[in-house]
Amino acid sequence: MLKDEVLALLKGQEDPRSGEEMSRTLGVSRAAVWKAIAALREEGYEIASAPNRGYLLKNAPDRLSAGELAGALEGCVIGRELICLEEVDSTNSAVKRRAVEGTPEGLAIVAECQTGGRGRRGRTFLSPAGKGIYCSVLLRPKAELRELLWITAWTGVAVCDAIETVCGIRPGIKWTNDIILGHKKVCGILTELGMEGESAQSQYVVPGIGINISQTPEDFGPEVAQVATSLTQELGWTPRRADVTAALLKALDRMNADFPHEKARYLEQYRKDCVNLGQPVRVLSPDGAWEGTAMAIDEDFQLVVRRTDGRLETVSAGEVSVRGLLGYV
Ligand code: BTN
């Protein structure tokens, strides 16, 4: 959209940019540039205009738009097709629909709100408008199934990298896919995989990330507020969603380029970030619940737990869920 392109030109500029120069750069009329400026103002962008000097962006609302994000993603594979929606059922479902149509890797879909946000094990993921980041990307890695199962853990490291870049504080990871701040969940990851039945070749992988940005305990409700938090609650200030999303897409781009050969870095970082190690845990498996102490993350990002009878057991994310015995973590 033209207004996204105009916004991208205005962003990061200290001096006014002339309408004529923008119209030449974008190959459109000056009237079209003026209309785009009016549309941006309508959305809450404060754009000063001085006769003969041009337009200067003074203040920007925290919107997730291509104009806000595209500049940060130059040269990236992730986000080379970037779709920013006001509302969608689920960004994961939207990316999967495009994946089966043959869309190349790199598509990123971001939404202001989700009406059917999904979590692991068929749970819903609350996705209120303007308070969080709901984002999914399309990957088509060439790797063995065993390696594809690492992607949720790698995505966890990428999310921590992004939050640390923008907020200056590194969250932890509750095995396998919950991102933790202040002992509560600030982000969830749902990775979905499409396989060809005959060849067992992967067709697509879609990691979906939901980050709580500005929810209050009241937004969550009394039950969820015991285990969920937001960046605002933990930091005492609200980071711009656009900045966190740009950092996230860049971290996912790096992850995609690194996968799977840079395993050593991701494994080392995951082990550092994992908050379960050394902690008592309850393992919820289809055969029933049992308890032990989380001891290690193995080479496949699986959790090694010492059972109360002393036996070591390796648990994989597909089969179990892990709860801390001392509170949520
Ligand atoms: C979980 O905590 O169980 C995973 C939550 C994953 C939520 C994200 S929000 C963006 C993407 N779209 C979805 O429907 N789910 C993921």
Side-chain angles (χ1 to χ4, degrees), residues 90-92 114 117-120 125 135-136 185 188-189 209-210:
S90 146
T91 53
N92 264 37
Q114 299 184 118
R118 297 184 284 108
R120 289 180 71 216
F125 186 80
C135 168
S136 304
K185 175 168 169 170
I189 298 163
I209 299 108

Side-chain angles (χ1 to χ4, degrees), residues 62 64 125 128 130-134 163 166-167 181 185-187 210-216 219-220 229-245 248:
D62 189 11
L64 298 178
F125 186 80
K131 301 206 166 188
I133 291 171
Y134 320 112
I163 292 179
V166 178
C167 307
L181 269 178
K185 175 168 169 170
V186 75
C187 164
I211 307 181
N212 300 329
I213 298 285
S214 60
Q215 288 92 337
T216 60
D219 289 324
F220 290 125
T229 189
S230 64
L231 288 177
T232 300
Q233 287 181 54
E234 299 307 318
L235 299 169
W237 56 279
T238 303
R240 290 190 79 231
R241 290 177 311 140
D243 295 343
V244 179
T245 307
L248 173 65

Side-chain angles (χ1 to χ4, degrees), residues 31-164:
V33 169
W34 185 85
K35 261 191 178 170
I37 297 274
L40 288 167
R41 285 178 173 151
E42 193 72 18
E43 283 178 11
Y45 287 89
E46 202 187 310
I47 301 169
S49 53
N52 302 324
R53 294 200 61 213
Y55 300 101
L56 184 66
L57 181 62
K58 293 276 205 182
N59 232 321
D62 189 11
R63 286 186 59 78
L64 298 178
S65 67
E68 283 286 348
L69 302 172
L73 299 176
E74 262 169 44
C76 291
V77 169
I78 299 299
R80 61 186 168 186
E81 183 181 359
L82 174 64
I83 301 179
C84 299
L85 301 168
E86 280 303 314
E87 185 179 293
V88 71
D89 51 353
S90 146
T91 53
N92 264 37
S93 304
V95 170
K96 285 198 310 179
R97 289 193 283 268
R98 289 288 306 274
V100 295
E101 288 168 5
T103 298
E105 81 167 349
L107 168 70
I109 298 189
V110 173
E112 289 283 341
C113 94
Q114 299 184 118
T115 52
R118 297 184 284 108
R120 289 180 71 216
R121 309 179 169 275
R123 286 190 282 258
T124 19
F125 186 80
L126 286 179
S127 315
K131 301 206 166 188
I133 291 171
Y134 320 112
C135 168
S136 304
V137 298
L138 174 55
L139 312 180
R140 295 194 186 271
K142 305 231 171 328
E144 294 167 23
L145 178 59
R146 176 183 144 245
E147 295 167 328
L148 296 175
L149 298 179
W150 304 342
I151 286 185
T152 296
W154 286 48
T155 303
V157 170
V159 170
C160 291
D161 288 348
I163 292 179
E164 186 176 24

